[in-house]
Structure formats: C-alpha cells, structure tokens
C-alpha cells in the first residue's frame, strides 16, 4: 500500500517459532507515522509476540523489520530510543508514589533534574494525576494505574508507542479516558501500534486495522473497508406484542428472536430492494412493526468471519 506519510513501521516476512510451534508465519505490516494501527486476533494469535519483537525484547526468526527507520535487528538501541511500550499489565511500582514512578523514569531517560521535574509535572497534569501524585500507587484504581503507566511511557517523548491491550480490565469510563489520551497523542504526531480484543476500541480509534489468525494476517484495511467486504448485516424489528413477534417469526425463518425484548433480527444487507421485500412480506402477513432499524456489519462480524476455523483453507481479506 502507499501513503503520503513516512513509514513508522515496516515489516516484511516476519516469522517466529517457539520450539516446534510456529507463532508467526510470514507477517507483513506497514504503519504510516502519525496514525493508529490496530492489530486484532484471538488469544494466542501472536499479537503480543509481534509487539515484543518490534520493541526488541525478543528476536525474530526471519523477516525484515524497520521501526522509526531503524533496522530492529542491527540497530536495536536506536529503535529503543524511538519507542515507548505499555504492556498488558501496568509496569508501575506499587511501593512508590505516582510522582516517584515518573521521576524514576525521568532519571532512566537522563533528563536532568530541572528537565525531569518539569516533565513529571507536565505528565501528572496531563493525565489528571496531580491530586494523587504523592499517594502510593497501591492505592490507585485500575484506570489511574493505566494512566500512570502511559504517562511513564511518555517521559522520554517517544515517536512510536506500542500499546498492548491498554484498556484490558478497565471500566467503560476509564476506557474512554484512555481513548481520549491516545487520540491526543496522535494529534501531536505520535504513532500508535495498538493490540486489543475490544473490537469497538479498534473501530473507534484505528486508522487501519489488521486481523491476525494462526500466525498470518487474514484481513487488513480501514474499519469501513473491512465491514463492506463481508455479509452480516441485519434489520432489527421490534413489536408491541408477543403475538406480533410470533407472526413475524413465521415469515422469516432465518431470523433470531429475543422473547423478552420482543425483537426479531432478520439477516439483511440493508439496501433499498431488500428492505422493500422485507416490508412487503410483513404487509402481506398483516404484521405491525413498532420499530425498525438497520444494522450493517460491524467489526465483530468481520472478526468472526475471518477467524472462524474450518476444514477448508480460508482466503485472506486484504
């Protein structure tokens, strides 16, 4: 693919095995700078392995890998100087305060006393941690720990940040706060490489999405591009009475029903012709619909379509 922006990450033919188990089998990735790239996949698909390889924590078995213009194999120090990594679990010291954790990172980045103090103050304010700065991290909530973890990643002002499932276990409000922080980073020119199992997270945040399954990229594109490539849309019909629901269910034998909500979901791509046929069928059966809404395929549909294993070889969506 081509992009007017310079590449932040370029991966060609990445392979990795642990013993006799192949984890990655020829992965290609291209991430332009100043964008959010989301990598999705089932548990064990190899998402964290890719992050660990690109952040120089473990070596690849094969492939050409460039991060921030540096060869991951031959210029690992340059790669580490350009990146930040926030893992699945907060890498904070619970025996220190939030401020002390940030000061430690400032020292490790050789910022100097004055520069380090200013950077710590800036990050505490940016992530709404000023009031908790001198409290032990052991007293922080999950959302506060993740914000502190991301703040620690930013102490060295990285060009590229790897976020490995950064909102796992967070409540909805904390997730939204983290999303806002990620968007602010990208607006400032930072590139984000995000792995997540929350499909709505990728849908809301990512400029481009790739799905990893069985060590290979099986789908890649913008969220909207991926949704358009698969079936999976439906029309949601809500009825006023159980009798109307039963009557409609007799018309559409492929529909799924929710007895409690008096809702019927009818597979439908949402185009004008198919909607007209659906409404004509309801009219002929003399079934009154209280509410109707159209639901196109979402990333959940994409995910299940491209990662559902079968006996036949699956063709990649790319």
């Amino acid at each position: 693919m081509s992009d007017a922006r310079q590449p932040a990450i370029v991966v060609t033919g990445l392979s990795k095995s642990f013993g006799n188990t192949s984890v990655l089998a020829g992965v290609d990735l291209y991430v332009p700078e100043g964008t959010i790239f989301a990598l999705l996949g089932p548990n064990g698909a190899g998402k964290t392995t890719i992050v660990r390889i690109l952040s120089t924590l473990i070596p690849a078995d094969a492939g050409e890998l460039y991060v921030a213009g540096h060869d991951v194999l031959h210029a690992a120090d340059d790669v580490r100087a350009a990146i930040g990594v926030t893992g699945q679990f907060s890498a904070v010291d619970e025996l220190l305060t939030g401020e002390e954790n940030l000061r430690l990172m400032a020292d490790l980045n050789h910022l100097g006393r004055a520069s380090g103090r200013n950077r710590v103050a800036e990050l505490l304010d940016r992530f709404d941690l000023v009031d908790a700065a001198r409290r032990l991290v052991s007293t922080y909530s999950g959302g506060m720990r993740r914000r502190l973890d991301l703040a620690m990643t930013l102490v060295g002002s990285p060009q590229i940040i790897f976020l490995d499932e950064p909102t796992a276990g967070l409540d909805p409000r904390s997730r939204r706060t983290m999303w806002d922080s990620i968007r602010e980073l990208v607006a400032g020119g930072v590139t984000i490489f995000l792995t997540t199992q929350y499909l709505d997270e990728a849908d809301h945040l990512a400029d481009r999405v790739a799905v990893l399954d069985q060590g290979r990229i099986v789908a890649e594109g913008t969220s909207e591009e991926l949704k358009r490539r698969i079936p999976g849309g439906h029309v949601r019909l809500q009825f006023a009475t159980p009798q109307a629901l039963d009557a409609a269910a007799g018309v559409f034998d492929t529909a799924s029903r929710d007895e409690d909500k008096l809702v019927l979901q009818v597979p439908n791509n949402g185009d004008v012709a198919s909607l007209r046929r659906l409404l004509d069928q309801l009219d002929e059966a003399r079934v009154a619909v209280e509410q109707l809404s159209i639901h196109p395929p979402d990333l959940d549909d994409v995910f299940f379509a491209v990662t559902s294993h079968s006996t036949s070889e699956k063709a990649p969506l790319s």
Side-chain angles (χ1 to χ4, degrees), residues 209 219-230 299 302:
V209 177
E220 184 175 356
T222 67
S223 179
E224 292 306 314
E225 286 172 347
L226 295 181
K227 293 174 191 176
R228 287 197 297 267
R229 293 175 190 173
I230 66 162
L299 279 186
V302 174

Side-chain angles (χ1 to χ4, degrees), residues 110-122:
H110 309 291
L111 294 188
R113 179 172 296 182
S115 296
R117 184 168 55 248
N118 291 337
R119 185 64 170 155
V120 167
E122 174 194 341

Side-chain angles (χ1 to χ4, degrees), residues 48-310:
T48 297
T49 299
I50 288 179
V51 170
R52 295 177 69 195
I53 289 172
L54 294 181
S55 57
T56 76
L57 294 176
I58 60 174
D61 293 339
E64 295 183 3
L65 320 171
Y66 292 89
V67 174
H70 306 295
D71 187 313
V72 173
L73 177 62
H74 300 293
D77 287 344
D78 293 325
V79 171
R80 285 191 284 268
I83 68 171
V85 182
T86 298
Q88 293 183 32
F89 306 101
S90 296
V92 295
D93 191 328
E94 295 188 353
L95 300 180
L96 299 178
T97 67
E99 185 176 31
E100 288 169 341
N101 270 277
L102 287 170
R103 284 181 177 173
L104 176 61
M105 291 303 297
D107 290 341
L108 291 173
N109 280 274
H110 309 291
L111 294 188
R113 179 172 296 182
S115 296
R117 184 168 55 248
N118 291 337
R119 185 64 170 155
V120 167
E122 174 194 341
L123 291 169
L124 287 170
D125 180 64
R126 180 174 183 176
F127 288 92
D128 195 23
L129 292 169
V130 173
D131 292 341
R134 297 188 177 180
R135 283 170 40 197
L136 292 177
V137 173
S138 59
T139 68
Y140 282 19
S141 67
M144 292 170 67
R145 291 182 190 216
R146 293 306 276 171
R147 296 205 307 273
L148 176 61
D149 200 15
L150 184 53
M152 291 169 64
T153 300
L154 294 178
V155 168
S157 301
Q159 302 168 238
I160 300 168
I161 298 177
F162 293 94
L163 299 178
D164 193 9
E165 300 191 23
T167 62
L170 295 187
D171 62 81
R173 183 181 298 275
S174 296
R175 286 181 66 208
R176 293 283 178 172
T177 300
M178 182 64 74
W179 290 2
D180 290 342
S181 298
I182 292 170
R183 291 189 183 101
E184 288 174 9
L185 289 171
V186 175
V190 174
T191 303
I192 301 291
F193 187 104
L194 169 73
T195 75
T196 181
Q197 292 193 51
Y198 296 119
L199 303 185
D200 62 326
E201 186 161 86
D203 206 358
H204 279 87
L205 291 176
D207 297 290
R208 199 163 183 84
V209 177
V211 183
L212 183 70
D213 189 37
Q214 295 184 324
R216 297 181 183 277
I217 299 297
V218 294
E220 184 175 356
T222 67
S223 179
E224 292 306 314
E225 286 172 347
L226 295 181
K227 293 174 191 176
R228 287 197 297 267
R229 293 175 190 173
I230 66 162
H234 67 271
V235 172
R236 184 180 187 272
L237 305 173
Q238 186 161 20
F239 301 92
T241 66
Q243 292 76 18
L245 175 65
D246 289 338
V251 175
F252 306 107
D253 54 7
T254 60
S256 59
R257 57 194 288 170
D258 186 325
E259 304 282 354
D260 295 331
K261 296 180 180 178
L262 300 180
V263 164
L264 202 66
Q265 289 190 2
V266 183
N268 191 289
N269 62 17
D271 63 27
V272 173
S274 62
L275 281 175
R276 184 179 292 116
R277 286 194 298 271
L278 181 148
L279 293 173
D280 288 344
Q281 288 175 281
L282 289 170
D283 283 341
E284 290 173 8
R286 298 190 177 184
V287 179
V289 179
E290 191 166 71
Q291 292 184 8
L292 179 151
S293 56
I294 302 169
H295 298 265
D298 56 22
L299 279 186
D300 291 70
D301 298 310
V302 174
F303 185 87
F304 288 117
V306 300
T307 64
S308 56
H309 307 304
S310 65

